[in-house]
Amino acid sequence: MEYFLKDCEYLLVINPEDGKIINCNEAYTRLVGYSKEEICEQAVLERLAVENTIMFLEVLEDVVSGTKAMITANHNRKNGEPVRLDNYLIARRHSYIEIWMKKNKPPVLPIQRRRLLDMIIDYAPDMFWAKDLQGRYLFTNKALCEKLLGIEDMREAIGKTDIFFALKEMASHPDNPSWYTMGEMRQNSDELVIKHLTPMHFEEHGRVRGKEIYLDVHKAPLYNCDGVLIGTVGIGRDITLQKEFESKVEEEQLKKAELFESLLNSTIEGLLIFDEEQKCIHYNQPIKEIFGYSDEELWQKEALSFAMDSSRELIMERFGKNDATPYEVLLKRKDGTAFWALVRGKFMKLEGKEVKVWAIVDISPLKEKERAITFQAEHDPLTNLINRRHFFRIFESVLEKADQNRQYRGLLFIDLDRFKPVNDTMGHNIGDQLLQLVAQRLQSSLRKSDLISRFGGDEFLALIATETTDIEDAKRRISMIAEKILRSIKAPYRIEDKNVEIGASIGITVFNSSERDLNQLILDADSAMYEAKKEGGNCYAFNE
């Protein structure tokens, strides 16, 4: 911004809350012929003759929120003669806005290699343009000038607005108010882009020299190289012929059945067409492959009969809307198996009647991949038990609920006895297989309500639900499970024709509140496990 401010001679300071001028420099007083006292009695809109007051106020709001902006406007002199200045708006920390100004120069497009850009886009059939914050053209190409503005010399457009050309055309045909109607619509879409400061897509239509025209338009905010908002930039494509074709297709109501079938079957998506009673009246070949129905079975089949019960409510909600946004639902095949599908729906006219078209893609392979990725992220690759990170996530939710029902739970820290000698003497392959068998036995020893995780190495964590608020009863129930685990692990293993025997030491801590966090609970269970080790292993101990 400093690059643009270095040539600025004049300064106004305004209060953004009420638009009042609170300060100015001497250069500005000399320029406009008012004293500083006279200027500070005025509002900023009394000083600046902006062409669009609403847009200027929106620019002020953007500046207050941190955006820098530049606008060009006339300043009123005391002698009645306006002076045109470039105004750079900057918000300062103390809740005021500085407007630095310098004499206005003809608007130019601040883009390097201008000549090369002109050569490229002047031969493009699409329309290109850039405008300043007042909607005046900074740049146009030949296509825009010829198709929309009705001029041959591109220089004639610079500094003028769409409204200017609209009024010019309408003045040439005062007896035909619909001769040119594109001006206001294009200006309104410019204001939306400036308001939201984001690229936007529009379909603009109206009459140009008496003919209906449709444009597919993309517009975006235009910033100079210093990040200052200076206007909008856009590209438009004439889609009038496309619209005429679409209209013709609708008017003919798809009478050419052979062509219609070809179009339906040329897509990889399954297409279902339903009548006003939500019954199937048409489909393409991929639908038969997706669902497994015959032609006779598909005819007059109700839309909801394709859905699983869990997705019926969503399908009913979306069926009546002409919203082509895709959504995921569970559908079912002829054999009753469920599969995930991506569905898009749109209303159309077919033989004079309104129909609903479903485009369906079977995404069950994608869902399987997602599930596999999620499983890998949450489980230990060797034992397929949940990993430590996922165990911690689940445990945090358990702690949050612990204060509500006050039921006791047990955290078991399980460390294998004599695993290291087995791993060192028999090899890591035997050790890995042993861990897998231990994991299976641990899962078999626990209930569905319990949770088991590989903590790391030969260590495991188990979370036991007791469903009791009595601590002695809770310890008794946990002890029974711990003894079952010890018996299970102690039983001999047969791996690659070798007998392997190990044991386990279990440390237990009991809790029914979130007073101790997960790390502390693990430390307490780990401490109790070492007490069990001191007793010779193959036993359990509670943390007291």
Side-chain angles (χ1 to χ4, degrees):
M1 192 67 179
E2 298 301 324
Y3 172 81
F4 292 93
L5 298 183
K6 66 180 182 179
D7 296 327
C8 291
E9 303 176 47
Y10 316 112
L11 170 65
L12 284 177
V13 182
I14 67 171
N15 182 346
E17 293 184 0
D18 57 12
K20 294 290 186 180
I21 299 172
I22 57 177
N23 201 359
C24 65
N25 65 0
E26 291 185 8
Y28 186 77
T29 63
R30 291 194 299 270
L31 176 70
V32 298
Y34 287 100
S35 68
K36 182 175 181 179
E37 291 74 15
E38 289 174 318
I39 292 173
C40 290
E41 291 177 356
Q42 298 177 343
V44 66
L45 287 176
E46 296 179 74
R47 294 272 78 245
L48 279 72
V50 297
E51 297 178 5
N52 191 321
T53 302
I54 295 177
M55 185 182 294
F56 177 76
L57 294 176
E58 290 175 350
V59 169
L60 281 185
E61 291 180 6
D62 293 336
V63 171
V64 170
S65 63
T67 301
K68 301 169 185 176
M70 188 278 285
I71 65 171
T72 301
N74 289 335
H75 286 246
N76 301 317
R77 285 175 166 167
K78 196 168 187 177
N79 62 10
E81 295 180 2
V83 58
R84 197 156 187 80
L85 300 176
D86 289 335
N87 303 265
Y88 296 86
L89 285 71
I90 310 171
R92 297 302 187 187
R93 296 181 187 174
H94 305 294
S95 299
Y96 61 84
I97 293 176
E98 288 183 354
I99 303 178
W100 289 90
M101 296 157 283
K102 60 184 176 182
K103 293 288 181 66
N104 172 247
K105 297 178 180 179
V108 295
L109 179 65
I111 300 177
Q112 295 179 351
R113 301 179 182 178
R114 170 67 183 273
R115 186 176 179 182
L116 176 61
L117 181 63
D118 287 347
M119 291 176 64
I120 294 172
I121 65 178
D122 272 346
Y123 289 101
D126 292 339
M127 292 167 266
F128 293 83
W129 65 87
K131 301 177 184 178
D132 64 15
L133 290 172
Q134 283 74 50
R136 299 172 304 176
Y137 283 105
L138 297 167
F139 168 81
T140 64
N141 71 340
K142 290 182 179 179
L144 177 73
C145 291
E146 293 173 357
K147 294 180 181 180
L148 208 62
L149 305 184
I151 56 177
E152 296 181 359
D153 189 347
M154 291 182 291
R155 292 172 297 181
E156 187 179 343
I158 305 305
K160 298 181 179 66
T161 66
D162 289 304
I163 297 297
F164 170 87
F165 288 102
L167 294 174
K168 176 183 175 183
E169 289 287 344
M170 292 168 65
S172 65
H173 292 76
D175 57 336
N176 187 354
S178 61
W179 176 255
Y180 196 102
T181 61
M182 286 290 285
E184 186 175 353
M185 176 179 292
R186 289 178 55 77
Q187 178 175 290
N188 291 343
S189 59
D190 290 342
E191 293 173 0
L192 281 174
V193 172
I194 292 173
K195 179 179 180 180
H196 296 288
L197 294 177
T198 185
M200 301 182 76
H201 176 229
F202 305 95
E203 184 175 284
E204 298 177 346
H205 68 276
R207 287 189 171 273
V208 175
R209 293 181 288 282
K211 294 182 179 180
E212 193 79 16
I213 184 172
Y214 288 83
L215 300 179
D216 183 54
V217 176
H218 293 264
K219 295 184 178 182
L222 176 63
Y223 300 88
N224 63 21
C225 58
D226 200 49
V228 178
L229 177 68
I230 61 172
T232 60
V233 63
I235 178 172
R237 174 167 293 179
D238 186 347
I239 57 171
T240 306
L241 291 177
Q242 177 184 333
K243 285 292 183 180
E244 290 175 353
F245 174 76
E246 292 174 356
S247 176
K248 183 178 180 181
V249 169
E250 289 182 0
E251 290 172 1
E252 292 178 353
Q253 302 172 359
L254 305 178
K255 293 180 180 179
K256 298 180 180 180
E258 185 178 342
L259 176 59
F260 182 52
E261 290 292 336
S262 175
L263 290 172
L264 284 178
N265 292 314
S266 65
T267 174
I268 62 172
E269 294 177 309
L271 297 179
L272 279 170
I273 301 178
F274 300 97
D275 62 16
E276 295 175 346
E277 297 179 356
Q278 300 183 8
K279 292 184 178 181
C280 178
I281 59 172
H282 219 299
Y283 49 86
N284 65 352
Q285 184 62 31
I287 283 293
K288 297 168 66 175
E289 298 167 0
I290 291 172
F291 288 97
Y293 289 112
S294 65
D295 293 326
E296 294 76 13
E297 291 167 329
L298 284 168
W299 176 251
Q300 293 292 297
K301 190 171 179 63
E302 293 184 352
L304 286 180
S305 66
F306 291 96
M308 296 297 290
D309 291 343
S310 59
S311 294
R312 287 190 168 213
E313 184 176 349
L314 176 58
I315 287 177
M316 283 297 296
E317 177 190 341
R318 297 294 296 269
F319 195 94
K321 297 179 179 179
N322 194 26
D323 182 2
T325 305
Y327 58 99
E328 295 182 5
V329 290
L330 266 177
L331 302 181
K332 62 181 177 182
R333 308 185 200 276
K334 179 182 177 180
D335 61 9
T337 57
F339 69 98
W340 281 102
L342 194 67
V343 177
R344 292 182 297 116
K346 186 175 180 62
F347 284 108
M348 293 180 60
K349 288 289 186 181
L350 180 61
E351 296 180 356
K353 296 180 180 179
E354 189 174 70
V355 297
K356 185 65 177 281
V357 180
W358 270 3
I360 300 172
V361 178
D362 182 354
I363 59 171
S364 49
L366 178 61
K367 286 291 184 178
E368 287 298 326
K369 290 181 181 178
E370 289 179 356
R371 279 193 286 269
I373 292 171
T374 302
F375 186 88
Q376 291 172 4
E378 296 178 347
H379 290 75
D380 172 53
L382 178 63
T383 63
N384 280 340
L385 297 178
I386 63 172
N387 58 27
R388 176 165 51 184
R389 180 180 297 177
H390 190 46
F391 182 86
F392 284 3
R393 282 199 293 267
I394 297 174
F395 204 100
E396 289 295 340
S397 65
V398 170
L399 279 179
E400 291 175 3
K401 297 176 182 177
D403 294 319
Q404 300 174 8
N405 55 32
R406 308 300 290 185
Q407 292 180 351
Y408 282 97
R409 293 172 173 81
L411 179 64
L412 279 59
F413 196 112
I414 305 168
D415 184 88
L416 301 183
D417 299 333
R418 301 184 301 281
F419 174 78
K420 189 175 185 302
V422 172
N423 203 43
D424 292 343
T425 59
M426 294 186 178
H428 294 297
N429 185 45
I430 297 291
D432 287 347
Q433 293 182 63
L434 178 57
L435 287 174
Q436 290 172 338
L437 292 173
V438 168
Q440 294 172 13
R441 294 186 182 186
L442 285 172
Q443 287 180 305
S444 299
S445 300
L446 299 178
R447 304 159 301 176
K448 290 184 178 180
S449 58
D450 301 325
L451 196 63
I452 183 69
S453 164
R454 185 183 179 195
F455 189 66
D458 60 347
E459 297 173 335
F460 301 85
L461 287 178
L463 177 62
I464 309 300
T466 69
E467 299 178 352
T468 178
T469 58
D470 181 271
I471 188 168
E472 295 303 325
D473 187 27
K475 286 184 175 181
R476 180 183 62 81
R477 298 184 184 192
I478 294 170
S479 296
M480 293 174 61
I481 294 175
E483 291 170 358
K484 185 178 180 181
I485 291 173
L486 290 173
R487 288 194 302 271
S488 176
I489 293 178
K490 187 178 179 181
Y493 300 84
R494 187 71 177 170
I495 305 174
E496 295 185 3
D497 296 328
K498 296 178 182 179
N499 292 322
V500 181
E501 293 186 5
I502 59 171
S505 298
I506 303 176
I508 306 171
T509 188
V510 181
F511 65 98
N512 73 337
S513 72
S514 60
E515 293 178 1
R516 290 180 292 168
D517 62 17
L518 177 56
N519 290 327
Q520 185 59 52
L521 289 169
I522 292 176
L523 288 174
D524 292 344
D526 183 57
S527 177
M529 182 272 294
Y530 278 105
E531 292 300 320
K533 290 277 189 187
K534 290 178 183 178
E535 296 296 323
N538 201 38
C539 64
Y540 63 89
F542 282 91
N543 170 259
E544 302 295 343

